[in-house]
């Protein structure tokens, strides 16, 4: 296969999935890691993809464009892990908590298998899968029904009705973007509605957002920044952003990645 043909095939895959890993492309096309990285560099120079750690995603998302879960999962992996580890320290035995959809909340779910008597409410298929893979007899996982989105979230009136009947101690909310003007946002209108229901069901709101979410704006506002009791982010957040966010959220927590 010629380089141009391979690059076209790679771009088609990225358009279908939202993102791909270098390792998957190496296996699929039977070429070296370096060859695939050169192909991605060519596509990135043409403005067709964004190179991220370990792979590539589609370039230039608009406010209503929603990357798939697989695409988002290869971005800022170290930062998301550090944020999830800090969030896990807030979870105590016997709590009822909610985890929204998102790759950082999915990372948090993998860290909760040792918490006794925990009840987890979620509208995220990957979050539920992570908890089911390490089951505890004294843990309860409540997965809402609903309409599935590209982020593997369950949304719509079924999900909203299920959540509205519940009460939880903590909500760990993943967001697409945040800014002082627009607050916490998402590119999916249905997901915004479910997230508002999750906020309404929670005694405290903990937002999990790596530094790349700063000044990223989705089409729908979930809540203003001041709605967050705690915002956990990473040290990549610029100084001016720390000042602006710190003036509005209840507590700003900065973690070091890696």
């Amino acid at each position: 296969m010629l380089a141009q043909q391979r690059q076209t095939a790679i771009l088609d895959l990225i358009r279908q999935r939202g993102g791909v890993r270098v390792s998957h492309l190496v296996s699929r096309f039977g070429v070296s890691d370096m060859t695939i990285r050169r192909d991605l560099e060519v596509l990135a120079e043409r403005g067709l993809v964004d190179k991220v750690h370990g792979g590539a995603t589609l370039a230039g998302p608009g406010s209503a464009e929603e990357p798939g879960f697989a695409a988002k999962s290869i971005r800022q992996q170290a930062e998301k892990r550090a944020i999830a580890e800090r969030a896990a320290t807030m979870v105590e035995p016997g709590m009822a908590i909610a985890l929204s959809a998102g790759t950082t909340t999915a990372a948090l779910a993998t860290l909760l298998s040792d918490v006794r008597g925990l009840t987890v409410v979620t509208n995220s298929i990957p979050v539920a899968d992570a908890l089911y893979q390490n089951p505890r007899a004294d843990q309860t996982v409540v997965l809402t029904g609903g309409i599935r989105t590209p982020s593997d979230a369950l949304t719509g009136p079924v999900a909203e009705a299920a959540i509205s009947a519940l009460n939880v101690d903590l909500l760990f909310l993943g967001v697409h973007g945040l800014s002082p003007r627009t607050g916490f946002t998402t590119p999916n209108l249905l997901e915004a509605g479910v997230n508002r229901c999750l906020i309404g069901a929670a005694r405290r709101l903990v937002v999990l957002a790596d530094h790349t979410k700063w000044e990223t704006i989705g089409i729908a506002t979930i809540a203003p920044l001041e709605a967050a009791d705690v915002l956990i982010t990473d040290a990549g957040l610029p100084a001016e952003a720390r000042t602006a966010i710190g003036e509005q959220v209840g507590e700003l927590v900065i973690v070091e990645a890696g």
Side-chain angles (χ1 to χ4, degrees), residues 78-117:
E79 290 87 346
K80 291 174 181 178
R81 179 71 181 185
I83 291 168
E85 288 174 349
R86 177 61 179 82
T89 67
M90 302 179 67
V91 182
E92 299 177 0
M95 274 188 167
I97 66 171
L99 273 64
S100 77
T103 51
T104 310
T105 52
L108 171 58
T110 67
L111 304 175
L112 300 178
S113 59
D114 293 333
V115 184
R116 293 181 291 103

Side-chain angles (χ1 to χ4, degrees), residues 56-205:
T57 62
L58 275 179
S63 62
E65 184 173 340
E66 182 176 9
F69 184 88
K72 292 188 289 186
S73 68
I74 62 176
R75 299 174 178 173
Q76 284 71 53
Q77 291 175 318
E79 290 87 346
K80 291 174 181 178
R81 179 71 181 185
I83 291 168
E85 288 174 349
R86 177 61 179 82
T89 67
M90 302 179 67
V91 182
E92 299 177 0
M95 274 188 167
I97 66 171
L99 273 64
S100 77
T103 51
T104 310
T105 52
L108 171 58
T110 67
L111 304 175
L112 300 178
S113 59
D114 293 333
V115 184
R116 293 181 291 103
L118 186 66
T119 297
V120 180
V121 177
T122 186
N123 68 318
S124 166
I125 295 170
V127 165
D129 283 344
L131 292 162
Y132 289 145
Q133 287 172 13
N134 297 285
R136 282 184 64 109
D138 59 352
Q139 285 188 350
T140 301
V141 179
V142 180
L143 177 63
T144 71
I147 301 166
R148 187 172 182 172
T149 73
S151 295
D152 287 342
L154 298 175
T155 63
V158 173
E160 292 182 16
I163 294 163
S164 297
L166 302 173
N167 300 288
V168 297
D169 299 303
L170 293 175
L171 164 61
F172 295 97
L173 178 70
V175 297
H176 175 75
L178 66 148
S179 80
R181 181 176 65 84
T182 60
F184 301 111
T185 61
T186 172
N188 189 294
L189 293 171
L190 287 175
E191 198 162 344
V194 171
N195 285 339
R196 293 188 200 107
C197 289
L198 285 168
I199 292 172
R203 185 166 59 86
R204 299 186 73 209
L205 169 60

Side-chain angles (χ1 to χ4, degrees), residues 240-252:
E240 65 273 16
R242 299 185 191 196
T243 300
I245 294 171
E247 292 174 349
Q248 297 190 55
V249 303
E251 180 184 2
L252 177 61

Side-chain angles (χ1 to χ4, degrees), residues 210-239:
D210 68 75
H211 70 276
T212 65
K213 306 300 177 66
W214 173 246
E215 292 293 5
T216 296
I217 298 174
I219 191 172
T221 293
I222 301 165
L225 296 188
E226 55 263 31
D229 295 290
V230 182
L231 171 63
I232 307 177
T233 188
D234 65 90
L237 190 71

